[in-house]
Amino acid sequence: MGVAARASSRVGSRRTSVARRGEGSAGWLFTLPVIVILGLFLFVPVLMALWVSFSDWTGRGSPFSAGTGFVGFDNYAEITSGGGLPERNFGIALRNNAWYAVLVIPLQTALSLFLALLVNRAALRGRTFFRISFYFPSVTSSVAITVLWLFLFSSTGVVNQVLSWVGMNGPNWFNDPRGIVHVALSAVGVEAGPAVLTDADILGVSWWDWLSGPSIAMAALILMAVFTTSGTFMLLFLAALQSLSPDVDEAGRVDGASTWQRFWRITLPQLRPALFTVLTLGLIGCWQVFDQIYTGTQGGPGKTTLTPAYLSYESAFTDQRWGQGAAISFILFLIIVAFTVVQRWALRERGVAKRRMRQYRMTARENGGAS
Amino acid sequence: MNFRALIAGGTAASTFFALSGCGGSGFDDSAQDSTDDELTSSNSALTVLYGASGDAEKDAVEDAVAAWSKESGIDVTALAATNLTQELSQGFASGSPADLFYLAPEQIAGYADNGSLKPYGDLLSNRDDFYPSLVENFTVDGEFYCAPKDFSTLALVINTDLWDKAGLTDADIPTTWDELDAAANALTTGQRAGLTFSPEYQRVGVFMAQAGGSLVTDDGAQAVAESSENIEGLEFVRSHLKGGTFAYATDLGAGWGGEAFGKGQAAMTIEGNWITGALEADFPDVNYQVVPLPTGPAGQGTLQFTNCWGMAADSPNQEATLELVEFLTSAEQQLEFSAAFGPMPSVESAGDQWRSDNPDLTAFLDGADYATGMPTDVGADEVISDFNAQLESLKSSDPEKMLTTVQNNLEAVVG
């Protein structure tokens, strides 16, 4: 853009700003209800909770009354380095939820993308039917699905019946606290971990226990999360797929790329914004698991389905340690923000790598030479 | 994705807690402390918050409250809580809690600590009628906080059909650990365990009590979880779980001992008074007999469970509330409650009448003489749930190590 052009655009913006002033106040007027509602029910409560996490509020009367004192980072210290049960519980909850996230996020993303690709195909008969039925679990209440899951995965439930047809003895799903990595290891004869792993601990949980994998009960919840969320994410992918221009794909086809290559090199890179949305929403959802635990397992068996969100609730409402409960939810918030920032960085738009660039140049030169 | 939207999403969890924690409280500072012996008095209507086990309890409580309301002329609303703990906490935080509510012993210390409760036990006109062990359960720092509502103890429940089928007679009813071992052995078959119970201290603890152990000393001042008695109790359970004559209800695919017992997956179970109602409702064809738990190396032992009528410090009409409590805990009213939904009256004066009303269940009431309650220290609840989590894998773990953890956790909260 030339200097003259830039100057003229500045003049233009000054001229329109007068006319837009009226629009501005109208805009504020229209957004005011939402700002007030969000402020009152989201922003103010968050600040109140932040205060509670730094206070010794005991749960009686207002947290802003005279009797409530500021205790600095005491609550945070208690759950991250206190050495007692609160620390261990927090460690266990993080362990459980980390395994949950590690398994749920890739599975649900892959499954929802796969489903979206399936129902996006023009050739599929009864597309609408499949779209609706894949989406159906997402609109069903999570409480209802949890109850359904408890029945399906009971020791004599449908899942174990089906497993018995193929000669497998299904586990007692929701009552089995064994971690699946530990189960797999004990199958090859490793019952106890090496001293290196069992003696050292972090947040009151030994390294060996950090590596236990999700418990069998948690595995059932993981399957449930994948089942219920993939429909929603399928919809996001589907919307993104439909907005892709078919030209690019066609160009790839003309160049002789196989279906597989076209998916990896053409479709998937174009889906990056949708992928980021799905991964972020999945990540937030995964670190906030609450309803399934509250209605289904209450953290059991053996605390293996305890999650930070549920622990926060329990510390506050059952154990009357409101400061710790609030502190846990803020640590959770930081975890989510940190992971999202990492994800944003990992999925950023990148220039073509130098190594690859050379390839492009060479092809261009060859093409140029040919013409 | 827009970063602001991200923050909004990320804080949703925190918001949830903030909202429920401060719900309805606004910013006013309405919590007031009343002096120790004085009760507030006004003509405010009363609210009673209770957690009903079912329709029978709901109807019984509502009828009783309505009857008192008619008699005294004071309006009372009885509210059935769906989640008692949460609703109580919300009430206390808002500064306008229910005047009277069900309260579990493990929660008393926490609420007493933050001043939410009005200790009124010594003001009761029927104070000396309550069983001493129950009074002890509701005494925090030497102060008798609230009137025991009713109570239950654990006893041994035997399926008489299976008992006869195994060729056992009344003479075989176990009174010692050895006899329990023999009976469980005789009753165990391929598809059936001899004895079942839930994997929790609230059941397994009876063996620790019978071996002479406990989690805390009687006055609740010291943690004594790591004792040879407790180890002996747990070892007894562990060896039988391994041998297959005992089995956890959850391992049998049942939610609790009563269910496994009713389904015939086990011939004996350790449960409390509530099992009679449950069996009647779900397994009416099962014939059973209730006998005292066997004597262990240190004598008899069982656990007792109770709730009390908690009174809010913020209640504007404590005088009327106290009268309501006296009405609800009277021998007459408690016998009515007992007939409606099971638990035993918390007052000794109702004992004889209860025995003659329930001749088959006297084993439960006999337990009152030697029963231990749950520890009431702040945080003890959490220690026990941690212990329970470990008990689930008792079969494959070392009881001594387990108790060391419990001891360490208890020491942090006791004293």
Side-chain angles (χ1 to χ4, degrees), chain A residues 40-46 48-49 52 57-67 84-86 88-89 92 155-156 172 175 177 276-277 280-281 284 288 290 294 300-303 308-314 316-322 325-326 329-330 332-333 336-337 340-341 344, chain B residues 1-3 6-22 25-33 83 85-87 89-90 92-95 107 110-111 113-117 250-254 313-314 378-379 381-383 385-386 388-390 392-393 405 409 412:
Chain A
L40 203 63
F41 292 105
L42 197 74
F43 195 60
V44 172
V46 167
M48 286 165 76
V52 169
W57 185 54
T58 54
R60 182 181 179 222
S62 161
F64 299 96
S65 64
L85 256 190
R88 206 162 82 91
N89 280 342
I92 291 174
S155 70
T156 51
N172 191 352
N175 289 306
F276 178 72
T277 312
T280 309
L281 289 178
I284 293 175
Q288 289 187 346
F290 180 82
Y294 181 84
K303 289 194 184 173
Y310 186 73
L311 180 67
S312 165
Y313 166 81
E314 246 201 4
F317 284 91
T318 316
D319 302 330
Q320 303 300 313
R321 287 201 304 259
W322 299 82
S329 65
F330 279 98
L332 196 57
F333 166 64
I336 292 172
V337 171
T340 312
V341 169
R344 212 179 146 83
Chain B
M1 168 174 257
N2 173 320
F3 196 68
L6 194 82
I7 292 184
T11 42
S14 337
T15 313
F16 166 70
F17 301 110
L19 273 180
S20 21
C22 311
S25 77
F27 293 90
D28 65 322
D29 176 13
S30 55
Q32 286 163 0
D33 285 303
N83 185 335
T85 323
Q86 183 183 326
E87 287 172 40
S89 294
Q90 283 167 338
F92 290 134
S94 72
Q107 290 178 327
Y111 288 135
D113 238 25
N114 67 19
S116 299
L117 293 184
T250 43
D251 288 340
L252 298 173
D314 288 335
V378 188
D381 193 20
E382 210 189 342
V383 175
S385 55
D386 188 67
N388 289 347
Q390 298 185 60
E392 282 176 37
S393 54
T405 318
N409 291 336

Side-chain angles (χ1 to χ4, degrees), chain B residues 32-355:
Chain B
Q32 286 163 0
D33 285 303
S34 49
T35 45
D36 256 10
D37 289 334
E38 267 168 52
L39 293 178
T40 56
S41 167
S42 65
N43 7 338
S44 305
L46 300 182
T47 313
V48 178
L49 187 68
Y50 65 100
S53 58
D55 282 341
E57 182 164 5
K58 188 166 173 274
D59 294 342
V61 172
E62 269 172 14
D63 288 349
V65 164
W68 180 82
S69 175
K70 208 170 160 193
E71 196 183 289
S72 64
I74 297 172
D75 277 341
V76 189
T77 326
L79 295 174
T82 44
N83 185 335
L84 190 64
T85 323
Q86 183 183 326
E87 287 172 40
L88 267 183
S89 294
Q90 283 167 338
F92 290 134
S94 72
S96 52
D99 301 271
L100 197 64
F101 39 83
Y102 280 16
L103 190 60
E106 64 268 19
Q107 290 178 327
I108 286 187
Y111 288 135
D113 238 25
N114 67 19
S116 299
L117 293 184
K118 172 76 193 171
Y120 68 86
D122 290 329
L123 304 173
L124 287 163
S125 59
N126 54 347
R127 187 210 184 284
D128 298 327
D129 200 10
F130 294 104
Y131 287 98
S133 67
L134 295 176
V135 172
E136 196 176 287
N137 234 205
F138 295 112
T139 303
V140 178
D141 294 332
E143 203 148 18
F144 177 26
Y145 263 82
C146 50
K149 184 171 78 69
D150 49 33
F151 78 117
S152 308
T153 62
L154 297 178
L156 187 65
V157 185
I158 295 172
N159 183 323
T160 44
D161 293 336
L162 297 175
W163 188 264
D164 295 342
K165 219 162 96 189
L168 298 170
T169 63
D170 278 357
D172 297 312
I173 287 176
T175 56
T176 64
W177 278 10
D178 287 341
E179 289 175 27
L180 181 66
D181 173 65
N185 238 327
L187 289 164
T188 304
T189 65
Q191 311 88 40
R192 184 177 299 127
L195 175 67
T196 187
F197 40 85
S198 304
E200 51 185 5
Y201 168 71
Q202 287 84 340
R203 301 291 178 282
V204 178
V206 297
F207 294 101
M208 289 157 63
Q210 287 156 12
S214 62
L215 293 182
V216 292
T217 49
D218 281 348
D219 56 359
Q222 229 186 328
V224 288
E226 198 180 9
S227 65
S228 56
E229 289 87 356
N230 283 342
I231 295 174
E232 188 181 1
L234 287 186
E235 274 297 349
F236 179 74
V237 176
R238 191 173 107 100
S239 61
H240 286 81
L241 285 174
K242 277 182 131 173
T245 53
F246 293 5
Y248 282 148
T250 43
D251 288 340
L252 298 173
W256 61 296
E259 188 187 341
F261 180 80
K263 284 181 180 165
Q265 291 165 324
M268 298 187 288
T269 186
I270 297 174
E271 279 298 339
N273 299 60
W274 49 83
I275 194 175
T276 58
L279 288 177
E280 200 177 315
D282 297 336
F283 309 99
D285 301 331
V286 173
N287 296 312
Y288 64 92
Q289 180 183 4
V290 180
V291 300
L293 286 166
T295 314
Q300 286 186 297
T302 186
L303 299 174
Q304 74 186 12
F305 302 93
T306 175
N307 277 324
C308 78
W309 289 108
M311 190 192 289
D314 288 335
S315 161
N317 198 356
Q318 291 167 339
E319 258 175 37
T321 310
L322 186 72
E323 277 171 43
L324 176 56
V325 173
E326 283 167 353
F327 174 82
L328 291 170
T329 54
S330 65
E332 204 182 6
Q333 184 56 49
Q334 287 209 55
L335 284 165
E336 235 166 84
F337 280 152
S338 178
F341 58 94
M344 299 177 288
S346 58
V347 287
E348 287 178 88
S349 61
D352 290 335
Q353 182 63 40
W354 195 84
R355 269 175 221 276

